[in-house]
Amino acid sequence: MNCAEFRKRGAEMVEYICKYLETLENRRVVPSIEPGYLKELIPDEAPMYPEPWEAVMDDVERKIMPGMTHWNHPHFHAYFPSGNSFPSILADMLGDAIGVIGFSWAAGPSLTELEGIVMDWLGKALGLPSFFLGQVPGSKGGGVLQGSASDCVLVVMLAARTHAVRQLKKQYPDEDESHLLAKLMAYCSRESHSCVEKAAMISFVKLRILEPDSKSSLRGDTVARALKEDEKNGLIPFFISTTLGTTGSCAFDNLEEIGTVLQDYPEVWFHVDGAYGGSSFVCPEMRYLMKGIEYADSFNTNPNKWMLTSFDCSALWVRDRIRLTSALVVDPLYLKHGHSDTAIDLRHWGVPLSRRFRALKLWFVFRSYGITGIQAYIRRHCRLAKRFEQIILRDDRFEICNEVKMGLVCFRLKGSDKLNEKLLSNINASGKIHMVPASVNEQYVIRFCVNAENSTDDDIGELCFKYFIVIHSYCEFIMYSQNQSHNDKSIFGNFRQKSL
Amino acid sequence: MNCAEFRKRGAEMVEYICKYLETLENRRVVPSIEPGYLKELIPDEAPMYPEPWEAVMDDVERKIMPGMTHWNHPHFHAYFPSGNSFPSILADMLGDAIGVIGFSWAAGPSLTELEGIVMDWLGKALGLPSFFLGQVPGSKGGGVLQGSASDCVLVVMLAARTHAVRQLKKQYPDEDESHLLAKLMAYCSRESHSCVEKAAMISFVKLRILEPDSKSSLRGDTVARALKEDEKNGLIPFFISTTLGTTGSCAFDNLEEIGTVLQDYPEVWFHVDGAYGGSSFVCPEMRYLMKGIEYADSFNTNPNKWMLTSFDCSALWVRDRIRLTSALVVDPLYLKHGHSDTAIDLRHWGVPLSRRFRALKLWFVFRSYGITGIQAYIRRHCRLAKRFEQIILRDDRFEICNEVKMGLVCFRLKGSDKLNEKLLSNINASGKIHMVPASVNEQYVIRFCVNAENSTDDDIGELCFKYFIVIHSYCEFIMYSQNQSHNDKSIFGNFRQKSL
């Protein structure tokens, strides 16, 4: 394909994207296909010769779209948002065309520098402590864009591990480092994202999973007890990951309590994962939820979730950038350059060497929306979640299972987990709405997240209507099924009465 | 920005991209700026209010481009290619607009399935052994797209580590796993990519770096000696990473010899990193270079290097997919879905949970070029590299330092490393051509890689001319500098004679 054809196909693709987004509501939000559907539709070998562009785009519509879960659909309420916006798409088009790979300053000077600048923009916009900012005089910290929150948590755990082992090595110079590793203990809450467990597996360190309180918040006294107990048993606490906006129920760990406890453990790296919740701090009225952030050694949030920026774009700040990079430095000659001694080389800030021009997306988003535009978007989502909470609360067969502070509402039918599982599976099978479950206080709950950029009162109002339709189909399911528990039957009876 | 404005801005961006690529040759290939240039040009806080689109694009041209290293420039000969093509850009536009995040089958069924299918397409197109293919009856293997070769090497090392520790745990059930870890030894060549060292740091395993032969190829007897020696010392060899197309000089380890040695060490995971060289196997005449691949447990190549696909898109195949995923599985309720038992969830195949719709890029590239189109592209690059080698060989002040088999030519002035460093730094300072150094047989060499998709005989011919211009400026440098070694002076004298 040459430039002349790209001019044509590019314009067509822009049009396809607009039509796709404008008519998305007419599609099922989740597909009605079974695993393996696609291999029936696509040849099992690549074509020997070029195919016409029309054939490719025809297959997109006929083969790919029928197996698509539409994350931008107005009734996609699963997981958390997949950040998206037109300025972000445009930035990625440009980034792809430039094709710069920013593993070192020399390989991509403007990529490297823009990343530093927008990380400071974002840090300031969120009201983070100034020690996290890279371009503030005297700061030892700095920010970097990672591919995912998993990468953020992994690299800070690795940095903490490297530091802890080096400290131990001073005490026990003759011990094999792996034996020192055996003494290290990391901590998180039961409500932490699974990526903390994965990071601990990869880092080969022990992880103690702590119980949060009844509101799914990890508290200081729980942390204090665990640290003390482990120290008594000869273990060395070296890292804790806390969460602002848990995946299950958007709960907030108590940073202030935990930070106060950690004052007695200066060697413990205190990480704060605000993958979802962190972006809300662009609104000053939300910042009370990160009280205690001044104790933290690192913080991450995902603009690719709740800040209109396409995946991947996960922002990480550290208090001490040397501690981060010293865990990840490998320096071969073919990556050295004339400014190796003075410039930042971003390959030392993460697992992969190479990086896309992610900063461009965030820069385009900031400039197109302004801070006020992003605030308005966050506030609208929070308001819509409260609206949905009210709709649920109007029906006393249901209960709300989390404190609705951001865009996530957790609810359930009062009744068994099985009943709720069936409800959710029926809702999802309808193809009209998509939600996923979580476990909150060991109960199965249904998560409803406000996701689409332009979600409106109407969407949530209409959803309310559809949701009763779905309950109706659930009802039919109950009638069909004969082996229900007493509890489930009574709820069903209750429903029958109300709906008459 | 709404759809109406995106239609306009999208079309403009397509036009900007075309103009950028069509006139790229008029720009400096590397910028003439110093670290920190950008913060003088950009405010240190994000704007409060939206800015007009024109202002953003104006800043792209006035502030970002002057600090850009242009990877698609016809005279960018540094590193390896940054894969790029119009079909790949179009696929990424679509992928961004859809915004699907494929951590599980349910979250992105067509993403997950297309990835499996194109990985088989690619595996077959490269002539890989069928045990690597996921969709072949009876195969236990499969392919997955990772974000980078670093990720590929890391995840297979982790898989090997998990397996090795589990095996040891059976023998020593009461030992702490970290103590077992202390016994493990990984291997690579001095010419392996630095990501192997980084993977070993992250995996917290010992790494023994072996000496390649005089052609930078790791040989079987070297491996055999090291394994035997380490076993005698109570260590347990568990992983080796070999390379097809090393970063320094595009050398090829001897897989057949190493594979034969490893027949006696069935517990050692044998990885083959063909990040650059691997893509060439789409041409059957290149496959002699991967003789012995049938012994391998895993193989990676980067379509985002030499197969016209934009970063990130790094292809990894494993012989035993269960061994890979069992090192990376974490399974919380909020990621479970109705087909969790039967479908592939790609989050278990890598470090990050989330993934872009990378498969779309590879699929668009295959269909737009066909296998024959990709072959023609690879063959043209190989031919141009041979052409450049001939140009260098015509001048006896220079020597070629690698066997030119693919798109990379390593050369140097006969003389000191310092002389060559100065030459390269002068060439790069010219802004006309960009190359990077490497160390081959402990000598400083200059790497020239054929990178741009549409490189032509003219580009290489013209380069030849420019290269003499640059030598001239080098010459002036020598005259200016008074403290040269005897050897350098004689070369300079030689040059003066020739150029008269």
Side-chain angles (χ1 to χ4, degrees):
Chain A
M1 188 181 290
N2 57 21
C3 263
E5 189 176 356
F6 177 67
R7 281 189 167 89
K8 180 168 151 61
R9 301 312 179 189
E12 286 170 10
M13 186 60 86
V14 167
E15 187 55 34
Y16 183 87
I17 288 170
C18 288
K19 284 243 172 77
Y20 168 74
L21 293 172
E22 285 168 340
T23 62
L24 194 42
E25 196 161 1
N26 306 333
R27 299 184 191 248
R28 287 178 62 95
V29 56
V30 283
S32 135
I33 41 104
E34 295 292 313
Y37 90 99
L38 192 57
K39 70 168 179 250
E40 308 302 322
L41 304 177
I42 287 187
D44 58 7
E45 289 190 23
M48 280 307 287
Y49 300 98
E51 296 184 68
W53 186 253
E54 290 80 0
V56 178
M57 288 306 293
D58 196 44
D59 278 356
V60 165
E61 194 51 49
R62 291 193 309 111
K63 298 175 181 173
I64 302 301
M65 287 302 179
M68 187 61 69
T69 296
H70 297 287
W71 284 63
N72 288 312
H73 194 289
H75 294 310
F76 179 88
H77 299 293
Y79 316 113
F80 282 131
S82 168
N84 213 344
S85 67
F86 290 124
S88 174
I89 295 172
L90 290 164
D92 231 13
M93 285 169 67
L94 182 57
D96 272 347
I98 296 172
V100 57
I101 307 290
F103 45 69
S104 69
W105 182 87
S110 46
L111 178 156
T112 304
E113 300 207 3
L114 190 65
E115 190 159 323
I117 291 167
V118 296
M119 285 300 293
D120 267 25
W121 278 20
L122 180 56
K124 288 177 188 172
L126 300 180
L128 294 184
S130 63
F131 59 73
F132 281 139
L133 306 178
Q135 321 234 338
V136 164
S139 161
K140 293 179 184 173
V144 63
L145 291 170
Q146 305 280 350
S148 68
S150 305
D151 287 295
C152 294
V153 172
L154 174 60
V155 297
V156 293
M157 194 185 282
L158 291 171
R161 184 188 72 174
T162 299
H163 180 71
V165 170
R166 282 185 191 159
Q167 296 300 106
L168 278 174
K169 191 78 181 170
K170 288 182 198 160
Q171 273 179 271
Y172 308 98
D174 301 328
E175 276 280 357
D176 186 289
E177 292 190 354
S178 302
H179 293 214
L180 302 175
L181 191 66
K183 296 178 189 292
L184 301 187
M185 181 65 88
Y187 302 83
C188 70
S189 157
R190 184 166 46 72
E191 292 300 318
S192 294
H193 189 271
S194 62
C195 72
V196 183
E197 212 178 319
K198 198 165 186 172
M201 283 167 65
I202 293 169
S203 304
F204 215 88
V205 293
K206 296 174 177 65
L207 176 70
R208 181 163 172 176
I209 297 174
L210 305 172
E211 277 302 303
D213 69 11
S214 62
K215 290 177 176 172
S216 300
S217 169
L218 183 63
R219 305 295 297 274
D221 54 351
T222 309
V223 173
R225 265 197 310 276
L227 294 174
K228 200 171 287 176
E229 198 175 283
D230 287 339
E231 276 209 321
K232 217 161 77 186
N233 292 326
L235 291 165
I236 295 163
F238 82 105
F239 177 84
I240 184 165
S241 186
T242 59
T243 313
L244 296 180
T246 61
T247 309
S249 62
C250 199
F252 292 77
D253 291 340
N254 193 317
L255 303 195
E256 190 160 42
E257 287 181 6
I258 297 167
T260 306
V261 168
L262 292 177
Q263 292 298 92
D264 294 335
Y265 297 86
E267 294 297 326
V268 175
W269 184 298
F270 180 13
H271 179 66
V272 178
D273 173 9
Y276 173 65
S279 297
S280 76
F281 304 139
V282 73
C283 304
E285 71 273 21
M286 303 301 255
R287 291 181 193 160
Y288 75 97
L289 290 165
M290 66 164 167
K291 211 173 159 199
I293 188 72
E294 63 277 10
Y295 295 112
D297 293 301
S298 50
F299 174 78
N300 73 282
T301 187
N302 284 8
N304 68 46
K305 281 194 170 68
W306 207 14
M307 210 182 258
L308 301 159
T309 310
S310 353
F311 185 81
D312 49 3
C313 187
S314 194
L316 170 70
W317 292 265
V318 292
R319 180 190 285 266
D320 183 339
R321 57 181 177 254
I322 301 294
R323 277 210 193 165
L324 176 65
T325 56
S326 63
L328 296 162
V329 165
V330 185
D331 236 351
L333 179 60
Y334 49 79
L335 296 179
K336 286 215 191 297
H337 53 85
H339 296 285
S340 283
D341 296 334
T342 51
I344 281 181
D345 286 343
L346 288 171
R347 71 180 179 282
H348 303 315
W349 293 63
V351 172
L353 268 73
S354 300
R355 59 179 49 229
R356 291 168 65 90
F357 199 168
R358 297 180 184 123
L360 207 56
K361 295 190 283 193
L362 204 47
W363 192 51
F364 275 33
V365 165
F366 263 123
R367 299 196 59 187
S368 300
Y369 286 83
I371 289 176
T372 52
I374 298 170
Q375 287 171 335
Y377 156 80
I378 297 270
R379 285 176 184 140
R380 193 174 61 251
H381 276 204
C382 293
R383 187 178 58 72
L384 290 171
K386 291 307 277 185
R387 179 178 154 88
F388 182 74
E389 181 188 28
Q390 289 311 311
I391 291 168
I392 293 283
L393 284 174
R394 265 184 244 140
D395 187 323
D396 64 8
R397 288 164 300 171
F398 286 86
E399 56 188 347
I400 294 292
C401 312
N402 70 332
E403 285 188 53
V404 179
K405 293 171 177 167
M406 302 207 168
L408 183 70
V409 182
C410 294
F411 68 99
R412 67 194 311 274
L413 275 167
K414 294 169 184 163
S416 69
D417 282 359
K418 198 177 157 196
L419 184 76
N420 281 284
E421 274 182 53
K422 293 291 180 195
L423 172 63
L424 180 58
S425 109
N426 271 19
I427 292 174
N428 284 336
S430 75
K432 299 282 186 199
I433 305 175
H434 186 42
M435 295 180 287
V436 292
S439 173
V440 173
N441 288 327
E442 291 173 42
Q443 271 193 325
Y444 182 101
V445 305
I446 301 173
R447 293 170 78 264
F448 172 95
C449 195
V450 180
N451 283 337
E453 179 186 353
N454 298 312
S455 282
T456 62
D457 282 32
D458 272 359
D459 291 330
I460 303 302
E462 190 198 1
L463 177 70
C464 169
F465 170 69
K466 282 184 179 162
Y467 132 85
F468 278 101
I469 301 292
V470 169
I471 297 286
H472 181 67
S473 74
Y474 168 67
C475 200
E476 289 173 339
F477 162 78
I478 293 281
M479 287 198 286
Y480 173 74
S481 157
Q482 295 304 314
N483 53 352
Q484 295 303 307
S485 73
H486 172 73
N487 189 30
D488 291 1
K489 267 187 193 146
S490 71
I491 283 181
F492 169 54
N494 194 9
F495 176 84
R496 290 287 300 271
Q497 282 187 325
K498 290 225 169 193
S499 54
L500 290 171
Chain B
M1 189 181 291
N2 58 20
C3 263
E5 188 176 357
F6 178 66
R7 280 188 168 90
K8 181 169 151 61
R9 302 312 180 188
E12 287 170 7
M13 186 60 85
V14 167
E15 187 54 35
Y16 183 87
I17 289 171
C18 289
K19 284 241 173 79
Y20 169 75
L21 294 171
E22 285 168 341
T23 61
L24 194 43
E25 196 161 359
N26 304 334
R27 298 183 191 250
R28 285 177 64 96
V29 55
V30 284
S32 134
I33 42 105
E34 295 293 312
Y37 90 99
L38 193 57
K39 71 168 179 252
E40 307 302 321
L41 303 177
I42 288 187
D44 58 7
E45 288 192 24
M48 280 307 287
Y49 300 98
E51 296 183 67
W53 186 253
E54 289 79 1
V56 179
M57 288 306 293
D58 195 44
D59 278 356
V60 165
E61 194 50 50
R62 290 192 309 113
K63 298 175 181 173
I64 303 301
M65 287 301 179
M68 186 62 70
T69 295
H70 297 286
W71 284 62
N72 288 312
H73 194 288
H75 294 309
F76 178 87
H77 299 292
Y79 315 113
F80 281 132
S82 169
N84 213 344
S85 67
F86 290 124
S88 175
I89 295 172
L90 290 164
D92 231 14
M93 285 169 67
L94 181 58
D96 272 347
I98 295 171
V100 57
I101 307 290
F103 46 69
S104 70
W105 183 86
S110 46
L111 178 157
T112 304
E113 300 206 4
L114 190 65
E115 189 158 325
I117 291 167
V118 296
M119 284 302 292
D120 268 25
W121 278 21
L122 180 56
K124 287 176 187 173
L126 299 180
L128 294 184
S130 64
F131 59 73
F132 280 139
L133 307 177
Q135 322 236 336
V136 164
S139 161
K140 293 180 183 171
V144 63
L145 290 171
Q146 304 281 350
S148 67
S150 305
D151 287 296
C152 293
V153 172
L154 174 60
V155 297
V156 294
M157 193 185 281
L158 291 171
R161 184 188 72 174
T162 298
H163 180 71
V165 170
R166 282 185 192 159
Q167 295 301 104
L168 277 175
K169 190 80 182 169
K170 287 182 197 160
Q171 275 179 269
Y172 308 99
D174 301 328
E175 276 279 0
D176 187 288
E177 292 190 354
S178 301
H179 294 212
L180 302 176
L181 191 66
K183 295 178 188 292
L184 301 187
M185 181 64 90
Y187 302 83
C188 70
S189 157
R190 184 166 44 75
E191 293 300 317
S192 294
H193 190 270
S194 61
C195 72
V196 183
E197 211 178 319
K198 197 164 186 173
M201 282 166 65
I202 294 170
S203 304
F204 215 88
V205 293
K206 297 174 175 65
L207 175 70
R208 181 164 173 175
I209 297 174
L210 305 172
E211 277 302 303
D213 69 11
S214 62
K215 290 176 176 172
S216 301
S217 169
L218 183 63
R219 306 294 299 273
D221 53 351
T222 307
V223 174
R225 265 197 310 276
L227 294 174
K228 200 171 288 175
E229 199 177 283
D230 288 338
E231 277 208 319
K232 219 161 76 187
N233 292 326
L235 291 164
I236 296 164
F238 82 105
F239 177 85
I240 184 167
S241 187
T242 59
T243 313
L244 297 180
T246 60
T247 308
S249 62
C250 200
F252 292 78
D253 290 339
N254 193 317
L255 302 194
E256 191 159 42
E257 287 180 6
I258 297 167
T260 306
V261 168
L262 293 176
Q263 292 299 93
D264 294 334
Y265 298 85
E267 295 297 325
V268 175
W269 183 298
F270 180 13
H271 179 66
V272 179
D273 172 8
Y276 172 66
S279 297
S280 76
F281 304 139
V282 72
C283 304
E285 71 272 20
M286 304 302 256
R287 291 183 192 157
Y288 75 97
L289 291 164
M290 67 164 167
K291 212 173 157 199
I293 188 74
E294 63 278 10
Y295 295 113
D297 293 300
S298 50
F299 173 78
N300 73 280
T301 187
N302 285 7
N304 69 45
K305 281 196 169 67
W306 208 15
M307 210 182 258
L308 301 160
T309 310
S310 357
F311 185 80
D312 50 1
C313 187
S314 193
L316 170 70
W317 292 264
V318 293
R319 181 191 285 266
D320 184 340
R321 58 182 175 252
I322 302 293
R323 278 209 192 165
L324 176 65
T325 56
S326 64
L328 296 163
V329 164
V330 185
D331 236 352
L333 179 60
Y334 50 79
L335 296 179
K336 286 215 191 297
H337 53 85
H339 295 285
S340 283
D341 296 334
T342 51
I344 280 181
D345 287 343
L346 288 172
R347 70 179 178 282
H348 304 314
W349 293 62
V351 172
L353 266 75
S354 301
R355 60 179 49 229
R356 290 169 66 91
F357 199 167
R358 297 179 184 124
L360 207 55
K361 294 189 285 193
L362 203 47
W363 193 51
F364 275 32
V365 165
F366 263 124
R367 298 195 61 187
S368 300
Y369 286 82
I371 290 176
T372 51
I374 298 170
Q375 287 170 334
Y377 156 79
I378 297 271
R379 285 175 184 141
R380 193 174 60 251
H381 276 204
C382 294
R383 186 178 59 72
L384 290 172
K386 291 306 277 185
R387 178 178 154 88
F388 182 74
E389 181 189 26
Q390 290 311 310
I391 291 168
I392 293 283
L393 285 173
R394 263 184 247 143
D395 187 324
D396 63 7
R397 288 164 300 171
F398 287 87
E399 58 189 345
I400 294 291
C401 312
N402 70 332
E403 286 188 52
V404 179
K405 293 171 175 167
M406 303 210 166
L408 182 71
V409 183
C410 295
F411 68 99
R412 66 195 310 276
L413 274 168
K414 294 170 186 164
S416 69
D417 282 359
K418 198 179 159 197
L419 184 77
N420 281 283
E421 273 182 55
K422 294 291 178 195
L423 172 64
L424 180 60
S425 108
N426 272 20
I427 292 175
N428 284 335
S430 75
K432 298 284 184 196
I433 305 174
H434 186 40
M435 296 181 287
V436 291
S439 172
V440 173
N441 288 327
E442 293 174 41
Q443 271 192 324
Y444 183 99
V445 305
I446 300 172
R447 294 169 77 265
F448 172 94
C449 195
V450 180
N451 284 337
E453 179 186 354
N454 298 312
S455 283
T456 62
D457 282 31
D458 272 358
D459 291 330
I460 304 300
E462 190 197 3
L463 178 69
C464 169
F465 170 69
K466 284 184 179 164
Y467 130 85
F468 279 102
I469 300 292
V470 170
I471 297 284
H472 182 68
S473 74
Y474 168 68
C475 200
E476 289 172 338
F477 162 78
I478 294 279
M479 287 198 286
Y480 173 74
S481 157
Q482 296 304 315
N483 52 352
Q484 294 304 306
S485 74
H486 173 73
N487 188 29
D488 290 3
K489 269 188 192 145
S490 72
I491 282 181
F492 169 54
N494 195 9
F495 176 84
R496 290 288 300 270
Q497 282 188 323
K498 288 222 172 197
S499 53
L500 292 173

